[in-house]
Amino acid sequence: MSEKSELNGAVENGRNESKIATLPKQIAEGEPLLEETRKEKARLRLKQALAIGGPFIITLGVGMTSGFSAVLLPQLMSNETTIQITQDQSSWIASLAVPPMAVGCILSGYLMEEFGRRLIQMFTSMLFVIAWVIVSVSTSVEVLYVGRIVSGLSAGLLSPLCLVYIAEVSDPVIRGTFLASIPLAISTGVLVSHSLGTFLNWKLSAAICAVFPLVSYIFYYFAPESPLWLANKGYKKKAEETFRYLRGYSKSSSDELHILLNRTTKAKDKSSEINKETVKRILSPTFLKPLITMLVLFFIQQFSGINAVIYYSVDILKSTTSNVNEYLATIIVDILRVIMSVTMCFVMKKYNRRSLALFSTIATGISLLLFSLAFRFLPQNYSWVNFVIISLYICCVYSGLVQIPWILTGEIFPTTMREIGSGGCTCFAFLMFFTVVKTGPVMFSEIGTGNGFLVYAVIALAGSVFIYFFLPETKNMTLQKIGDGYKDDNDNKTVTKV
């Protein structure tokens, strides 16, 4: 055999062993795999950023759904609207979007596994458009209820779906930043809805909000499917092509692809066994440990009061800051929320998740305690201090406590249970969301606004103890390695803590 034939044979064997569909010229010729150039890294980052463009834009709609009631309700309670509502109906308009969010989270796990991440996101974007149109054309409270329910269902379907999709198409080094863009999108959505509602009629505001999910559909149309989902479904060649398109040919990417293909092959070979042992897998420490961690973390996040502040920001600021315009103050707080969300996209790349969560939770508890004391003891002419402390609270809660639970939702669960895990914990998050939004006005009315925020402060400070002892570190780790961290003790593997 000639030297050329031997070389061709070696190259062919290398291709078969690595299972790579399309290789760069230097690899095909048997040359060493080189590290990515700065230009190549930038090109891959751009591809990944465009892929998450759809999830980012559609999540703006989730933020608008959360923030819309803060400006919708004051308009409906005025005498200048065609729809008159009672105080009880106003609380239902504010909170009625949340229970369907929980239902959507459960459905999302099944739908994303059965039909793929991309297709379900495209469907949900159209459902979101319909929801906003219903709200815009509402002529009665009942129709408004329907619009809020549909928008809540859409938000619930998207919440775990967007997080899982972003985690699966992103490089581990940049994944935290991309996942942190989801809280940024929610904050921006809240700001947009508050701004529109401050200057425009609520019907026109709702019509404008319908544009954003429509734009996201265009991004989804051109975005790739998750390579992990493709591999799980047996589309190995397409999975390799998509992975290489998004992640390139560096050694670290090639190693991750090799592990991904091997694990999905084994999972497919044992698919019948997995179906029979689903309950056993759900009850295993590999799944229960991250699930319990996430449930407690979301409880701490929601009962730090963040959504009570978002949903009732105008009323809270009106009752606590008599010498500050509540609508202007609300927009200032929204802008501050967006600034913090943008800042955290960069901070997440530098600092550990666990350290940020611990700092944020302690700082949030302290700021809530300060607000409670200021509200109870400061004289009325110093009520502007309450606005300053609320602004401080926003900075504290958005320095990690808001972002990290959602980031971990896309990272922490093992591959075979990611759909169930992400759907289950986001469902729980929205149930807690509903509880906080529904009970907030009652608690403030019964025990006072200052004492209500004192309750939130105690929960946040107690939560920092849990975070210190139980929250794992996932920064710069592959999804496979994170999943390995919760294996049984027999595997002799633990998640790194910093």
Side-chain angles (χ1 to χ4, degrees), residues 22 24 36 38-56 118 165-171 174 178 218-227 240-250 253:
T22 306
E36 293 170 333
R38 184 175 299 180
K39 183 177 180 181
E40 176 67 9
K41 285 183 179 179
R43 186 178 65 85
L44 294 173
R45 295 288 188 272
L46 177 60
K47 288 181 178 180
Q48 294 171 38
L50 291 174
I52 72 163
F56 180 85
R118 175 176 169 270
Y165 178 78
I166 292 173
E168 292 179 349
V169 301
S170 303
D171 188 295
I174 203 72
F178 283 156
I218 299 173
F219 275 82
Y220 285 130
Y221 183 82
F222 294 102
E225 180 55 86
S226 161
E240 293 170 15
E241 292 174 351
T242 304
F243 188 93
R244 293 300 189 186
Y245 169 79
L246 291 167
R247 302 286 300 281
Y249 295 86
S250 70
S253 296

Side-chain angles (χ1 to χ4, degrees), residues 222-475:
F222 294 102
E225 180 55 86
S226 161
L228 193 146
W229 181 83
L230 291 169
N232 281 338
K233 290 299 181 180
Y235 305 116
K236 293 298 181 69
K237 182 177 180 180
K238 184 65 177 176
E240 293 170 15
E241 292 174 351
T242 304
F243 188 93
R244 293 300 189 186
Y245 169 79
L246 291 167
R247 302 286 300 281
Y249 295 86
S250 70
K251 186 179 185 303
S252 60
S253 296
S254 298
D255 290 343
E256 187 178 344
L257 176 60
H258 178 70
I259 294 172
L260 168 65
L261 293 176
N262 282 346
R263 293 194 177 185
T264 52
T265 299
K266 292 176 182 177
K268 187 174 177 62
D269 292 340
K270 298 180 180 180
S271 58
S272 59
E273 297 177 17
I274 289 174
N275 291 332
K276 294 176 183 178
E277 298 182 1
T278 300
V279 176
K280 184 177 178 182
R281 285 178 173 269
I282 290 175
L283 296 177
S284 68
T286 308
F287 178 73
L288 280 182
K289 287 180 181 179
L291 178 65
I292 293 171
T293 299
M294 291 307 303
L295 295 184
V296 176
L297 194 58
F298 272 118
F299 178 85
I300 297 167
Q301 180 204 62
Q302 292 301 317
F303 278 88
S304 69
I306 182 61
N307 283 304
V309 173
I310 290 176
Y311 266 62
Y312 302 109
S313 55
V314 174
D315 292 335
I316 290 173
L317 289 167
K318 184 176 182 179
S319 64
T320 59
T321 55
S322 59
N323 49 2
V324 177
N325 182 282
E326 63 271 18
Y327 286 97
L328 177 60
T330 297
I331 293 178
I332 292 173
V333 168
D334 290 340
I335 293 173
L336 185 60
R337 187 184 294 122
V338 172
I339 292 172
M340 286 301 301
S341 297
V342 172
T343 302
M344 289 306 296
C345 287
F346 298 98
V347 171
M348 285 289 178
K349 190 174 180 181
K350 185 175 181 180
Y351 295 100
N352 296 326
R353 318 262 202 269
R354 186 170 173 272
S355 301
L356 288 171
L358 185 60
F359 165 79
S360 177
T361 308
I362 294 173
T364 296
I366 293 173
S367 63
L368 287 167
L369 183 60
L370 288 175
F371 179 81
S372 175
L373 295 173
F375 182 80
R376 295 172 65 181
F377 298 114
L378 279 180
Q380 191 70 18
N381 58 325
Y382 284 95
S383 63
W384 58 268
V385 175
N386 291 326
F387 171 69
V388 174
I389 297 176
I390 286 179
S391 300
L392 174 64
Y393 161 75
I394 291 296
C395 292
C396 293
V397 77
Y398 270 85
S399 62
L401 186 55
V402 167
Q403 296 90 343
I404 287 173
W406 297 109
I407 290 173
L408 292 178
T409 298
E411 295 180 332
I412 201 169
F413 293 102
T415 301
T416 55
M417 304 297 290
R418 187 167 294 132
E419 294 84 4
I420 296 175
S422 61
C425 67
T426 51
C427 173
F428 177 81
F430 284 122
L431 289 175
M432 294 302 99
F433 186 166
F434 173 76
T435 303
V436 169
V437 171
K438 190 63 180 169
T439 61
V442 177
M443 182 173 66
F444 295 147
S445 175
E446 292 294 325
I447 67 175
T449 303
N451 288 331
F453 277 86
L454 180 61
V455 171
Y456 293 149
V458 171
I459 293 174
L461 292 173
S464 65
V465 178
F466 173 85
I467 289 173
Y468 179 80
F469 285 105
F470 298 105
L471 189 68
E473 183 56 64
T474 62
K475 184 175 182 288

Side-chain angles (χ1 to χ4, degrees), residues 61-62 64-66 93-108 124 127-128 130-132 135 144-160 311 426 430 433:
V62 178
M64 291 174 190
T65 300
S66 298
I93 291 173
S95 61
L96 200 56
V98 184
M101 289 180 184
V103 175
C105 290
I106 297 298
L107 292 175
S108 181
T124 308
L127 190 63
F128 233 142
I130 294 171
W132 283 114
V135 172
L144 264 178
Y145 286 164
V146 173
R148 294 289 286 173
I149 289 171
V150 177
S151 64
L153 178 62
S154 303
L157 287 169
L158 284 165
S159 294
Y311 266 62
T426 51
F430 284 122
F433 186 166

Side-chain angles (χ1 to χ4, degrees), residues 118-136:
R118 175 176 169 270
L119 182 62
I120 299 305
Q121 288 180 100
M122 293 175 70
F123 165 77
T124 308
S125 63
M126 290 296 96
L127 190 63
F128 233 142
V129 172
I130 294 171
W132 283 114
V133 170
I134 292 174
V135 172
S136 180

Side-chain angles (χ1 to χ4, degrees), residues 150-211:
V150 177
S151 64
L153 178 62
S154 303
L157 287 169
L158 284 165
S159 294
L161 185 55
C162 291
L163 294 166
V164 169
Y165 178 78
I166 292 173
E168 292 179 349
V169 301
S170 303
D171 188 295
V173 175
I174 203 72
R175 187 176 62 230
T177 300
F178 283 156
L179 286 169
S181 71
I182 293 300
L184 168 60
I186 293 175
S187 301
T188 305
V190 171
L191 171 61
V192 171
S193 63
H194 283 178
S195 300
L196 291 173
T198 299
F199 301 107
L200 302 175
N201 177 271
W202 63 269
K203 289 194 171 188
L204 179 58
S205 300
I208 295 173
C209 289
V211 174

